């Protein structure tokens, strides 16, 4: 987790945004919550994002204690991601944020943007 003294945060909303800011982090959180928690599944669902970017977002979410990584000792070896208890607490917020985003996109589409 980041050292709070080294992070410039002026308000609680900024602290929240600092965690979820990043290419499709909210989508990754939702996917993990819904059980699509393997890298290959994420890659298929997010075809416009490079593998490197997905890995970067996963590493940042793990570093911020939102997700945890579990290595499954099977043949072939596989890795699965899960929300931590802390990550579970952010999920309802991310879910509502995405619902609003879909409504906003529909509004823009209707307005001819």
């Amino acid at each position: 987790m980041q050292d709070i003294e080294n992070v410039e945060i002026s308000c609680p909303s900024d602290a929240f945004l600092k965690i979820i800011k990043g290419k499709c982090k909210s989508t990754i959180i939702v996917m993990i919550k819904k059980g699509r928690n393997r890298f290959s599944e994420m890659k298929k669902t997010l075809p416009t994002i490079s593998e490197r970017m997905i890995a970067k977002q996963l590493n940042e979410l793990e570093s911020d204690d939102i997700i945890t990584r579990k290595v499954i000792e099977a043949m072939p070896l596989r890795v699965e991601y899960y929300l931590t208890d802390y990550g579970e607490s952010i999920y309802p917020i991310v879910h509502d944020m995405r619902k609003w985003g879909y409504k906003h996109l529909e509004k823009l589409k209707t307005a001819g943007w």
Side-chain angles (χ1 to χ4, degrees), residues 8-62:
E8 287 186 36
I9 297 175
S10 60
C11 74
S13 297
D14 290 344
F16 171 77
L17 292 172
K18 184 152 184 60
I19 296 297
I20 64 157
K21 184 179 178 183
K23 193 79 169 169
C24 292
K25 276 188 181 177
S26 65
T27 302
I28 291 170
I29 290 169
V30 170
M31 288 176 62
I32 291 170
K33 174 68 175 176
K34 292 186 175 189
R36 289 183 286 163
N37 59 349
R38 293 178 54 197
F39 189 88
S40 60
E41 294 168 322
M42 292 177 205
K43 193 171 87 170
K44 286 177 193 169
T45 305
L46 304 168
T48 60
I49 301 173
S50 70
E51 289 184 23
R52 182 176 176 205
M53 183 56 71
I54 295 170
K56 179 181 186 286
Q57 302 307 346
L58 288 168
N59 287 335
E60 287 177 8
L61 288 168
E62 187 175 13

Side-chain angles (χ1 to χ4, degrees), residues 2-9 18:
Q2 298 175 3
D3 180 8
I4 196 72
E5 280 124 30
N6 294 328
V7 178
E8 287 186 36
I9 297 175
K18 184 152 184 60

Side-chain angles (χ1 to χ4, degrees), residues 86-98:
Y86 191 59
E88 289 283 348
S89 73
I90 202 173
Y91 175 76
I93 302 161
V94 169
H95 182 265
D96 286 347
M97 179 188 71
R98 288 171 50 82

